[in-house]
Amino acid sequence: MKRFNLLAKNAKKGKEVRRFLEGHGFAFSKKPEFIASVGGDGTFLLAERKYPSIPKFLVKDSMICNQCQDGDMESFLQSIKDNQVRIESSPKLEAKAGKKKLLATNEVSIRNEKAIAALRFQVKINGALRFADVIGDGLVFATPFGSSGYFKSITRSTFKEGLGLAFNNPRAPLSFITLEPTDQVEIKVLRGTGFLSIDNDPKVVKVKKGSIIKIQQKKVSYARMIRR
């Protein structure tokens, strides 16, 4: 891999990284073979939306960057030059609400519009009713890659494969569950108004009574990270 593009949280730091990469024989390109994501976890998610499925090289420039590469950047770049790296692939989640389709790297979230009004919803898994009448702030569906984010904040747990479902502040105690990669989930809003969102994307989809949201793992779409 020789051609790169770059997305940076801080423009000054981004220019420094670009100069560093170019000084080590890599070429800035509009048709990159990899992306330098300079920032933290949120910058990576933005980079994935802008450059989907292109391998990402994560450079830490934030307090929180769980997925950033460890060690000296120069030695890491040499590993890329020498083809001594691997590409780690993480499947994404697809959420459908009406004609809207969203692809998530970390998680899909459904939550109440107003803090003073809970959502009421039901959950079907592979067509079978699993949770008939849940009242709470909503739900979070996570990928294994994203399970160290919002999902962990709710459950204090992570997982390595499949799909994680966590209930956000339910009235009745409900434990999180993990599902198989092939499982299909359907949520129907029974009462209230909420928002469907993915990762840290500011674009959201409004859902209301009667809305049906379908969520499944998208096998043909992956986020890719460069690892040593």
Side-chain angles (χ1 to χ4, degrees), residues 16 29 34 87 101 104 125 150-152 182 192-193 205 209-210:
E16 291 176 5
S29 173
F34 72 95
I87 305 298
K101 289 184 182 181
I125 299 175
Y150 196 3
F151 182 88
K152 185 178 180 180
T182 55
T193 302
V205 176
K209 180 179 178 180

Side-chain angles (χ1 to χ4, degrees), residues 148-167:
S148 61
Y150 196 3
F151 182 88
K152 185 178 180 180
S153 295
I154 295 173
T155 67
R156 303 301 172 190
S157 301
T158 60
F159 58 95
K160 293 186 177 180
E161 53 183 43
L163 164 67
L165 165 57
F167 296 93

Side-chain angles (χ1 to χ4, degrees), residues 123-130 179-180 182-186:
V123 180
K124 290 182 179 180
I125 299 175
N126 299 324
L129 186 62
R130 181 72 175 268
L179 307 172
E180 295 297 321
T182 55
D183 286 342
Q184 298 185 350
V185 183
E186 181 180 292

Side-chain angles (χ1 to χ4, degrees), residues 2-227:
K2 297 293 184 182
R3 303 188 311 273
F4 76 95
N5 207 305
L6 181 146
L7 186 70
K9 177 181 178 182
N10 180 282
K12 183 178 179 181
K13 180 67 175 180
K15 288 179 181 179
E16 291 176 5
V17 173
R18 176 173 173 171
R19 286 196 296 268
F20 187 89
L21 287 165
E22 290 175 331
H24 285 75
F26 295 91
F28 187 83
S29 173
K30 292 183 178 180
K31 295 182 178 180
E33 295 171 282
F34 72 95
I35 304 297
S37 173
V38 185
D41 293 340
T43 305
F44 164 72
L45 294 174
L46 176 58
E48 183 59 32
R49 288 197 298 277
K50 188 172 181 179
Y51 303 101
S53 297
I54 298 176
K56 308 295 185 301
F57 166 53
L58 280 65
V59 181
K60 187 173 182 178
D61 186 35
S62 175
M63 292 289 291
I64 301 174
C65 192
N66 296 320
Q67 304 298 337
C68 284
Q69 60 92 17
D70 294 322
D72 178 70
M73 184 161 55
E74 188 163 1
S75 66
F76 196 95
L77 291 177
Q78 189 61 49
S79 296
I80 296 176
K81 279 185 179 181
D82 296 340
N83 244 358
Q84 298 298 315
V85 292
R86 60 186 175 86
I87 305 298
E88 179 182 300
S89 297
S90 175
K92 297 184 182 182
L93 294 179
E94 180 184 71
K96 296 181 182 178
K99 296 181 179 180
K100 300 286 187 179
K101 289 184 182 181
L102 305 174
L103 274 180
T105 298
N106 262 14
E107 73 267 320
V108 174
S109 177
I110 303 169
R111 67 168 303 145
N112 51 333
E113 179 184 27
K114 298 178 180 179
I116 60 172
L119 276 179
R120 195 173 200 145
F121 52 89
Q122 65 179 25
V123 180
K124 290 182 179 180
I125 299 175
N126 299 324
L129 186 62
R130 181 72 175 268
F131 300 95
D133 192 2
V134 181
I135 300 173
D137 290 345
L139 314 88
V140 172
F141 296 86
T143 64
F145 180 84
S147 67
S148 61
Y150 196 3
F151 182 88
K152 185 178 180 180
S153 295
I154 295 173
T155 67
R156 303 301 172 190
S157 301
T158 60
F159 58 95
K160 293 186 177 180
E161 53 183 43
L163 164 67
L165 165 57
F167 296 93
N168 192 349
N169 198 28
R171 187 178 70 175
L174 290 171
S175 297
F176 72 90
I177 59 173
T178 53
L179 307 172
E180 295 297 321
T182 55
D183 286 342
Q184 298 185 350
V185 183
E186 181 180 292
I187 302 97
K188 183 176 182 180
V189 179
L190 303 176
R191 188 189 70 192
T193 302
F195 291 110
L196 168 67
S197 63
I198 59 160
D199 302 334
N200 61 346
D201 193 340
K203 297 178 182 178
V204 298
V205 176
K206 195 169 187 176
V207 295
K208 56 185 179 179
K209 180 179 178 180
S211 293
I212 293 176
I213 303 101
K214 296 181 180 180
I215 297 172
Q216 63 181 353
Q217 191 176 97
K218 190 70 171 176
K219 295 181 181 178
V220 297
S221 186
Y222 295 87
R224 293 180 168 90
M225 286 69 64
I226 302 173
R227 305 291 199 198

